């Protein structure tokens, strides 16, 4: 006779296998038994649960409480176990609803057996009338009662009189009071009252919380354990001073500033045991040296630069005074450069520095081939919410105009000094990290014949960019740039100081630096001014993808009032951990040969010549 497998089949199979190993003489019987067990192995049981009548937050909590949810993946569910689990559901649902203020729910279950190993249950919930909070009393007493952080907390409570009772919101207030006290150095703060009283019959609740802050502690002495840079330099990274009121956020900012310096591989900024006699908290900083030299190599492609490659070397710590040097070799089909920068920390070393940059660059700008050798010393300071950079650019520039045949090419060489100053807005709490996008940037630069310029000039650059969150998954990107020059003859400007438009981050749909005024031979030689603007709607998609629709406008020109070029397009975004890949298809709406200050005569005689260009693909990589 064929042996029958009991309900707990996995356990019985293991027992039969063990018995076979111990009794080899029964091999035939064991084989039959094991085959019978395998033949009777059930299909994985499934339980489908449908919860109706409550919103998403409450539904999630119901699933946490439901035994059915926890058991549904087991392979030993039978009718009896399923019925027991369903019988528990009303009580479990009631327990799950209480934290959300529903103390009188009505729960109905509808159960269906789909197959021998599958069930479906529908749980229909009528939450009933909620319990309403009729009184909220949150007070802070003691020396810290007037602290702005506590006032802000008590004036913006997540629970107010008349709200439905919500236990998680009550817990949020309690945790926020304790966390704020600990962060601000009220180390001995205590909750003297901590009451949530519920009268379920009357459907009323009251919240009472009282915090006694106790005295505020201050920063004590800071002990530093490291041999990487001079201790005097390291102490300038501290975001606090001894005897300042204790603030845990300043310790965290100090940690970030030291990490971002790149001098250290590991940094620990740790508060010590409080001294309750003097009300001081000592601090210990432990740091270990980072690797001194860093080498990096990269390759990529963009429609502006086309194929490109980079090689970099950085010495993060030339000496104990924190000096550093970086060299970059960049090669692309439209631009090649060698750059080196020597940086000396000054003032607040996380934010301020003295830099000297040397570079040799060969760049294609419209129909210009430029070669520039530059030495640029600069001083960077932070003033409030602004980063200020004062610089003087010493440049020797060769500008070659590649005029269309039969006009000959021409070449000019300029050697001059260009002093300037720039301001860039920085985010709150800025600690010197690289600014990949700037809400607002302004630069003023210029030169005179006394500094080597062919003619005196003054230039202004303005850039602004902002992302507005329209909804959870919808965003609006606004970006604009305005460049203007005060000069009589733009051809006296070195080619590197003229303005062009078009490309991935300019007016898409047109080639890189393809929008420009023309000289007498028809060559694109750059303009005295330029303006570009972008309006882009972005829709977040699953898996870090996004879609965009945009309108771009702008041009480079010699007179304000000259025509602008327009384009529209669609884009795709893929957000990776450190970079966003963008693919855009843009369609020009205007023809730059015909909508320009120097209109081509063929625009009015040749209908085909007046046609707008076709769509253009743009591929770009930008920091996340």
């Amino acid at each position: 006779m064929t042996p029958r497998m009991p309900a707990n089949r996995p356990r019985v199979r293991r027992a039969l296998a063990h018995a076979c190993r111990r009794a080899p003489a029964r091999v035939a019987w064991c084989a039959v038994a094991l085959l019978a067990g395998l033949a009777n192995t059930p299909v994985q049981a499934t339980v489908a649960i449908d919860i109706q009548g409550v919103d998403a937050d409450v539904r999630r909590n119901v699933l946490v409480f439901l035994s059915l949810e926890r058991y549904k993946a087991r392979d030993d569910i039978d009718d009896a176990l399923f019925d027991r689990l369903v019988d528990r559901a009303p009580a479990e649902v009631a327990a799950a609803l209480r934290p959300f203020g529903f103390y009188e729910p009505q729960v109905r279950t509808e159960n269906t057996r789909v197959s021998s190993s599958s069930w479906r249950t529908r749980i229909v919930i009528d939450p009933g009338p909620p319990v309403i909070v009729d009184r909220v009393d949150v007070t802070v007493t003691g020396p810290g009662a007037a602290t702005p952080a506590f006032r802000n907390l008590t004036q913006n409570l997540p629970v107010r009189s008349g709200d439905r009772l919500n236990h998680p919101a009550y817990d949020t207030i309690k945790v926020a009071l304790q966390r704020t006290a600990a962060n601000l150095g009220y180390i001995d703060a205590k909750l003297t009252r901590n009451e949530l009283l519920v009268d379920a019959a009357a459907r009323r609740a009251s919240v009472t919380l009282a915090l006694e802050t106790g005295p505020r502690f201050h920063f004590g002495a800071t002990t530093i354990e490291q041999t990487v840079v001079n201790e005097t330099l390291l102490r300038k990274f501290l975001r606090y001073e001894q005897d300042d009121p204790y603030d845990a956020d300043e310790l965290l900012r100090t940690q970030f500033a030291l990490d971002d310096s790149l001098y250290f591989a590991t940094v620990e900024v740790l508060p010590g045991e409080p001294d309750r006699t003097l009300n001081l908290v000592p601090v210990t900083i432990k740091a270990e040296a980072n690797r001194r030299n860093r080498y990096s190599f990269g390759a990529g492609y963009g429609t502006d630069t086309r194929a490109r490659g980079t090689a970099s070397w950085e010495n993060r710590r030339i000496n104990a005074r924190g000096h550093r040097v970086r060299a970059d070799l960049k090669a692309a089909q439209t631009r090649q450069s060698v750059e080196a920068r020597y940086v000396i920390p000054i003032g607040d070393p996380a934010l301020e520095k003295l830099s000297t940059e040397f570079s040799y660059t060969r760049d294609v700008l419209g129909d210009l081939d430029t070669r520039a050798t530059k030495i640029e010393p600069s001083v960077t300071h932070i003033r409030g919410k602004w980063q200020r950079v004062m610089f003087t650019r010493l440049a020797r520039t060769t500008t070659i105009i590649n005029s269309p045949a039969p006009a000959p090419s021409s070449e000019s060489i300029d050697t001059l000094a260009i002093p300037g100053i720039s301001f860039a807005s920085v985010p709150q709490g800025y600690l010197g990290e690289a600014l990949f996008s700037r809400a607002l940037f302004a630069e003023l630069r210029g030169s005179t014949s006394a500094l080597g310029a062919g003619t005196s000039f003054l230039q202004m650059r303005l850039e602004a960019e902002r992302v507005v969150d329209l909804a959870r998954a919808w965003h609006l990107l606004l970006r604009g740039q305005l460049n203007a020059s005060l000069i009589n003859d733009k051809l006296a400007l070195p080619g590197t100081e003229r303005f062009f438009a078009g490309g991935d981050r300019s007016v898409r749909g047109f080639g890189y630096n393809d929008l420009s005024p023309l000289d007498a031979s028809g060559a694109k030689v750059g303009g005295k001014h330029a303006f570009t603007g972008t309006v882009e709607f972005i829709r977040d998609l699953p898996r870090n993808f996004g879609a965009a629709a945009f309108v771009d406008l702008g041009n480079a020109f010699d007179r304000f009032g000259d025509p602008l070029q327009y384009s529209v397009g669609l884009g795709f975004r893929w957000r990776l951990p450190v970079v966003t890949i963008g693919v855009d298809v843009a369609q020009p709406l205007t023809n730059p040969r015909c909508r320009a200050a120097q209109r081509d005569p063929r625009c009015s005689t040749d209908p085909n010549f007046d046609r707008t260009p076709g769509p253009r693909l743009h591929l770009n990589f930008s920091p996340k």
Side-chain angles (χ1 to χ4, degrees), residues 32-107:
V32 173
L34 286 171
L35 288 172
L38 292 173
N40 285 278
T41 299
V43 177
Q44 176 71 41
T46 60
V47 178
I49 303 172
D50 180 20
I51 297 175
Q52 299 180 354
V54 292
D55 61 25
D57 289 340
V58 179
R59 184 181 184 279
R60 282 192 289 269
N61 207 47
V62 169
L63 288 173
V64 170
F65 274 73
L66 276 179
S67 298
L68 260 175
E69 176 69 15
R70 296 194 299 275
Y71 276 70
K72 70 179 185 180
R74 291 176 51 163
D75 62 0
D76 60 348
I77 296 180
D78 54 19
D79 286 333
L81 177 57
F82 176 76
D83 290 341
R84 289 198 300 274
L85 296 176
V86 169
D87 290 341
R88 297 180 191 175
E92 293 170 342
V93 169
L97 265 60
R98 287 190 194 103
F100 295 91
F102 299 108
Y103 280 69
E104 305 172 52
Q106 300 294 320
V107 182

Side-chain angles (χ1 to χ4, degrees), residues 291-494:
R291 186 177 56 182
R292 186 183 296 267
N293 292 293
R294 178 179 180 270
Y295 302 90
S296 62
F297 304 90
Y301 182 87
T303 46
D304 280 358
T305 61
R306 289 176 275 183
R308 63 175 181 261
T310 61
S312 301
W313 164 69
E314 181 180 21
N315 187 322
R316 297 160 167 164
R317 193 179 68 259
I318 292 177
N319 51 42
R321 297 187 299 277
H323 296 195
R324 71 177 79 230
V325 66
R326 178 186 176 96
D328 296 281
L329 175 64
K330 303 177 182 179
Q333 290 176 261
T334 58
R335 191 175 196 270
Q336 303 86 42
S337 67
V338 178
E339 302 171 359
R341 172 174 291 189
Y342 192 93
V343 178
I344 302 173
I346 59 174
D348 182 344
L351 302 173
E352 301 176 333
K353 60 191 176 183
L354 172 63
S355 302
T356 301
E357 181 175 345
F358 166 83
S359 66
Y360 173 78
T361 304
R362 179 173 180 176
D363 209 348
V364 176
L365 303 170
D367 289 323
L368 302 184
D369 185 352
T370 64
R371 302 168 190 178
T373 302
K374 300 178 184 178
I375 299 177
E376 184 174 316
S378 64
V379 180
T380 301
H381 289 100
I382 295 293
R383 294 292 181 264
K385 297 181 179 180
W386 296 93
Q387 180 188 71
R388 185 189 70 189
V389 180
M390 295 182 292
F391 62 89
T392 298
R393 183 176 303 150
L394 308 174
R396 181 176 175 84
T397 304
T398 300
T399 304
I400 301 172
I401 302 177
N402 297 311
S403 301
S409 297
S410 61
E411 178 179 317
S412 61
I413 298 177
D414 298 278
T415 302
L416 72 164
I418 306 175
I421 185 171
S422 70
F423 291 88
S425 61
V426 295
Q428 185 174 3
Y430 175 68
L431 288 173
E433 61 270 22
L435 292 171
F436 295 117
S437 63
R438 297 172 289 204
L440 185 61
F441 171 81
E443 179 182 278
L444 190 66
R445 67 192 184 201
S447 188
T448 68
S449 56
L451 296 175
T455 183
S456 298
F457 69 92
L458 185 65
Q459 292 183 319
M460 178 189 67
R461 293 174 56 208
L462 293 176
E463 297 176 9
E465 182 172 320
R466 185 177 181 185
V467 176
V468 180
D469 295 326
L470 303 176
R472 183 175 182 181
W474 287 92
H475 316 282
L476 173 64
L477 167 64
L478 301 173
R479 182 170 62 224
Q481 183 178 59
L482 173 64
N483 302 323
S485 303
L486 182 60
I487 188 173
N488 293 325
D489 180 10
K490 74 170 181 185
L491 294 180
L493 279 173

Side-chain angles (χ1 to χ4, degrees), residues 510-530:
F510 300 94
Y512 178 55
N513 289 335
D514 208 30
L515 298 179
S516 162
L518 309 178
D519 67 1
S521 69
K524 299 170 185 173
V525 294
K528 294 167 59 175
H529 320 296

Side-chain angles (χ1 to χ4, degrees), residues 301-303 308 504 508 536 544 546-548 550 570-576 579-585 617-623:
Y301 182 87
T303 46
R308 63 175 181 261
D504 298 339
R508 285 164 287 189
E536 181 169 304
N544 294 323
F550 57 85
L570 299 174
F572 171 81
R573 307 286 180 265
W574 184 19
R575 301 179 185 90
L576 299 175
V579 71
T580 295
I581 299 175
V583 180
D584 296 319
V585 177
L617 177 69
H618 293 269
L619 174 66
N620 61 82
F621 299 80
S622 59

Side-chain angles (χ1 to χ4, degrees), residues 4-21:
R4 296 183 60 194
M5 293 294 288
N8 197 339
R9 293 174 174 88
R11 187 180 303 169
V12 173
R13 286 199 299 273
R14 289 193 296 270
L16 283 172
H18 180 67
C20 290
R21 287 195 296 271

Side-chain angles (χ1 to χ4, degrees), residues 134-183:
D134 63 358
R135 185 175 64 84
V136 179
D137 185 13
V138 179
T139 58
V140 177
T141 59
T147 301
F150 285 122
R151 287 206 308 268
N152 182 63
L153 197 157
T154 56
Q155 292 171 5
N156 298 280
L157 297 171
V159 177
R160 297 180 181 275
S161 179
D163 289 352
R164 170 168 59 87
L165 175 62
N166 187 305
H167 289 228
Y170 164 76
D171 291 334
T172 297
I173 301 173
K174 183 168 62 175
V175 170
L177 285 170
Q178 295 171 319
R179 183 177 59 245
T180 301
N183 284 349

